[in-house]
Amino acid sequence: MAKIAYILLCHKDPEAIIQQAEQLTAAGDYMAIHFDGRAAAEDYQRIRAELAGNPNVAFAGKRIKCGWGEWSLVQATLQALRSAVEEFPRATHFYMLSGDCMAVKTAEYARRFLDEHDKDFIESFDFFESDWIKTGMKEDRLIYRHFFNERKHKQLFYWSHGLQKRLGLQRGIPSDIQVQIGSQWWCLRRRTVEWVLKFIRKRRDVIRFFRTTWIPDETFFQTLVRHLVPEAEIESRTLTFLMFTDYGMPVNFYNDHYDLLLSQDFLFARKISPGAKELKSRLGRLYAAQGVDFQISNEGRSLYRFLAQRGRIGRRFAPRFWETESTLGRERELLIVVCKKWHVAKRLLGQIRQVTNIPAIEYLFNEEDTALPDLGGIQAALMKRTRHRRALLRMLFEYYGTDQLIICLDPAAIDLMDDFHSDRSSTRFLHIECAFSDDYLIGHAHRVGLAGERTPQLTLERLLPTIRNDILHESDRIRDAGYSQLYHLREGASPVENASQLSGFLNVSGGKAMEIAATHCLFDD
């Protein structure tokens, strides 16, 4: 059975470190600790004294003074890793942790998971081809030498970087390695760790290269593991659940996140808020527990993304700037059906096609597989359609040889509605207002990834009011947008009332509008 040696990098809060070490070793696992060389010596001595009687705890042979983004973090990891390999010969896996991490599964579960998955768990994506780095320096991390810490000596850091660029002092990457990038929170098998340690003893050129790269803890182990281990034996993911805000800051977890954390498909979570005493206490007791049944739903990231992006007007962002230099054409009419229940809008469009000759296209800005003609590639992907939306619609008008076109939009696409409404063409909107049962909202949560098959009922009950209010807010925004030609089709209205609205929206006779309004089971789920 798997036995884990935890590699703990830490720099503060000796009491929490002692507690973390005792909790993780109580179930028979191991821990090797590196306490930052810049931290107080008395804190380090306290940790050593408190854990001196614990045979499952070891310490790095040398304390390194660590700095964010520096080689020192890799150096500290290697110091702790060497101690763990030497002190714990029965350890089968080595798992990187920080002082902000806590287990969200039992030791029993973790060992069974590792036994069933004989792989190395480490994020490793191609440095140059992937989009893992979202903003800031990318290639320059590698091809220039970085001697100063960007956070502590910002002016020197950018002066040195700029000087090398002006003088053309680029350097090559070792020819036989392909640089990878990913999270520094990994779990590696013993054989892999031994291969890595053997490799760096032989390849001093690789060490010299990474010593002066920027943020090497995101590239060093990721690159070496890919270089040494067959691809089939690598799972390119971390077993530590962590999330980041839009500003690149780690999301903190608090007391009310206990159930959420346990339902994620991860063994640990980071970062636990220092003030979340109850959460820390409950998670601390969890690791040594036995017979715990975990219901994995894994909706944490999508749920956070949904909640975090709900702001005030815009609900998160200010109105976007869209292209204004082009128009659909002053003589053209764009008819937009807006409905949250896509199947209802599609059912309505099917009837409109039968009764009128107006070309009607379903959710072309929401669904990748919407049926579209070949327009030279502009229709190929959602991102491209949205970026070139006016050009796309002009081409569709021309393709169908018409001055009238119907499209469907989700109510969340208020930015697209605003953009089309501002065009010189005549734009009319039909807002289909549906009733939303709890069962429908639960299904919606599953469809968009806010919930999984095993999401606890309590979590769903907490989530439903948020989803319902979000849908209502989208409807309010449409009503408040001031669209000059906005019509409403309501589930609770009579066919006569709905026919009146359809007549104005489609500019058709009352008879045709009634034929469409009387569509059988139009609002059925």
Side-chain angles (χ1 to χ4, degrees), residues 100-120:
D100 297 318
C101 298
M102 290 200 73
V104 294
K105 298 291 185 293
T106 60
E108 185 178 67
Y109 181 100
R111 291 167 185 162
R112 184 170 63 248
F113 179 90
L114 293 175
D115 283 339
E116 292 173 355
H117 301 82
D118 185 21
K119 293 186 176 184
D120 296 306

Side-chain angles (χ1 to χ4, degrees), residues 131-187:
D131 63 347
W132 200 86
I133 299 175
K134 303 297 183 185
T135 59
M137 190 180 292
K138 186 172 182 178
E139 184 182 24
D140 288 9
R141 286 192 189 191
L142 307 178
I143 63 173
Y144 296 107
R145 296 170 176 84
H146 301 278
F147 303 103
F148 303 101
N149 186 293
E150 193 265 350
R151 291 189 173 182
K152 293 181 180 178
H153 307 290
K154 189 177 290 288
Q155 286 185 323
L156 285 172
F157 179 91
Y158 288 107
W159 171 82
S160 171
H161 175 235
L163 180 64
Q164 292 179 72
K165 290 185 77 171
R166 288 193 299 273
L167 297 177
L169 299 178
Q170 293 187 14
R171 61 170 174 176
I173 297 169
S175 59
D176 62 332
I177 67 170
Q178 185 176 1
V179 179
Q180 306 286 309
I181 191 165
S183 168
Q184 64 270 53
W185 311 112
W186 39 253
C187 178

Side-chain angles (χ1 to χ4, degrees), residues 246-303:
D246 292 338
Y247 304 101
M249 300 301 292
V251 172
N252 283 280
F253 298 109
Y254 298 95
N255 291 334
D256 57 348
H257 288 136
Y258 181 79
D259 292 329
L260 172 74
L261 293 177
L262 265 59
S263 66
Q264 305 313 302
D265 189 19
F266 296 87
L267 304 183
F268 279 76
R270 183 180 188 273
K271 289 184 160 185
I272 309 300
S273 170
K277 303 295 184 185
E278 180 186 346
L279 178 61
K280 286 188 171 186
S281 176
R282 295 178 75 183
L283 292 178
R285 295 192 299 270
L286 175 69
Y287 191 70
Q290 294 185 339
V292 179
D293 183 29
F294 295 94
Q295 299 296 317
I296 307 300
S297 56
N298 216 32
E299 79 286 4
R301 286 184 175 139
S302 56
L303 179 58

Side-chain angles (χ1 to χ4, degrees), residues 438 441-442 445 451 455-468:
D438 285 354
L441 293 180
I442 289 172
T455 298
Q457 185 63 29
L458 182 60
T459 301
L460 286 172
E461 290 173 1
R462 290 176 178 172
L463 188 58
L464 286 181
T466 302
I467 298 175
R468 190 181 299 279

Side-chain angles (χ1 to χ4, degrees), residues 109-390:
Y109 181 100
R111 291 167 185 162
R112 184 170 63 248
F113 179 90
L114 293 175
D115 283 339
E116 292 173 355
H117 301 82
D118 185 21
K119 293 186 176 184
D120 296 306
F121 290 86
I122 181 169
E123 275 192 356
S124 51
F125 304 101
D126 187 279
F127 185 92
F128 297 99
E129 298 298 328
S130 73
D131 63 347
W132 200 86
I133 299 175
K134 303 297 183 185
T135 59
M137 190 180 292
K138 186 172 182 178
E139 184 182 24
D140 288 9
R141 286 192 189 191
L142 307 178
I143 63 173
Y144 296 107
R145 296 170 176 84
H146 301 278
F147 303 103
F148 303 101
N149 186 293
E150 193 265 350
R151 291 189 173 182
K152 293 181 180 178
H153 307 290
K154 189 177 290 288
Q155 286 185 323
L156 285 172
F157 179 91
Y158 288 107
W159 171 82
S160 171
H161 175 235
L163 180 64
Q164 292 179 72
K165 290 185 77 171
R166 288 193 299 273
L167 297 177
L169 299 178
Q170 293 187 14
R171 61 170 174 176
I173 297 169
S175 59
D176 62 332
I177 67 170
Q178 185 176 1
V179 179
Q180 306 286 309
I181 191 165
S183 168
Q184 64 270 53
W185 311 112
W186 39 253
C187 178
L188 303 178
R189 296 167 297 174
R190 186 180 195 93
R191 183 188 65 177
T192 301
V193 168
E194 291 173 345
W195 284 352
V196 168
L197 295 177
K198 181 179 179 181
F199 178 85
I200 61 178
R201 285 195 297 269
K202 291 184 175 180
R203 294 292 302 272
R204 306 309 298 175
D205 61 316
V206 174
I207 295 292
R208 283 193 298 273
F209 171 77
F210 279 104
R211 273 184 184 277
T212 51
T213 59
W214 180 231
I215 322 183
D217 54 317
E218 293 179 351
T219 54
F220 180 77
F221 288 99
Q222 296 78 357
T223 300
L224 266 58
V225 170
R226 278 283 176 189
H227 184 76
L228 297 168
V229 178
E231 184 176 358
E233 297 181 25
I234 300 172
E235 191 79 24
S236 186
R237 57 165 289 201
T238 174
L239 295 177
T240 298
F241 180 58
L242 67 163
M243 297 189 296
F244 293 90
T245 69
D246 292 338
Y247 304 101
M249 300 301 292
V251 172
N252 283 280
F253 298 109
Y254 298 95
N255 291 334
D256 57 348
H257 288 136
Y258 181 79
D259 292 329
L260 172 74
L261 293 177
L262 265 59
S263 66
Q264 305 313 302
D265 189 19
F266 296 87
L267 304 183
F268 279 76
R270 183 180 188 273
K271 289 184 160 185
I272 309 300
S273 170
K277 303 295 184 185
E278 180 186 346
L279 178 61
K280 286 188 171 186
S281 176
R282 295 178 75 183
L283 292 178
R285 295 192 299 270
L286 175 69
Y287 191 70
Q290 294 185 339
V292 179
D293 183 29
F294 295 94
Q295 299 296 317
I296 307 300
S297 56
N298 216 32
E299 79 286 4
R301 286 184 175 139
S302 56
L303 179 58
Y304 173 79
R305 190 162 50 247
F306 169 72
L307 295 174
Q309 289 176 357
R310 298 171 68 251
R312 296 199 166 81
I313 290 298
R315 295 228 88 193
R316 183 66 177 78
F317 302 105
R320 293 178 174 87
F321 171 78
W322 297 120
E323 60 182 12
T324 57
E325 71 281 358
S326 59
T327 179
L328 303 183
R330 193 182 299 275
E331 73 287 354
R332 286 173 171 161
E333 293 181 346
L334 178 64
L335 311 182
I336 301 178
V337 175
V338 183
C339 186
K340 196 67 180 179
K341 290 186 176 180
W342 294 4
H343 61 280
V344 173
K346 292 177 180 180
R347 200 173 290 149
L348 180 71
L349 255 63
Q351 187 68 5
I352 290 174
R353 291 190 189 102
Q354 291 183 28
V355 176
T356 76
N357 293 320
I358 307 172
I361 301 172
E362 295 172 0
Y363 288 84
L364 74 166
F365 295 109
N366 300 103
E367 286 189 302
E368 195 88 52
D369 58 354
T370 298
L372 289 170
D374 186 353
L375 301 172
I378 194 173
Q379 82 290 344
L382 283 177
M383 186 179 294
K384 186 175 288 189
R385 295 177 204 167
T386 303
R387 185 186 305 124
H388 305 293
R389 58 195 162 281
R390 293 195 185 187

Side-chain angles (χ1 to χ4, degrees), residues 416-433:
L416 293 177
M417 295 179 222
D418 287 343
D419 185 48
F420 292 134
H421 182 255
S422 67
D423 190 76
R424 297 192 192 96
S425 63
S426 174
T427 305
R428 297 198 291 274
F429 297 89
L430 179 68
H431 184 203
I432 305 178
E433 299 179 23

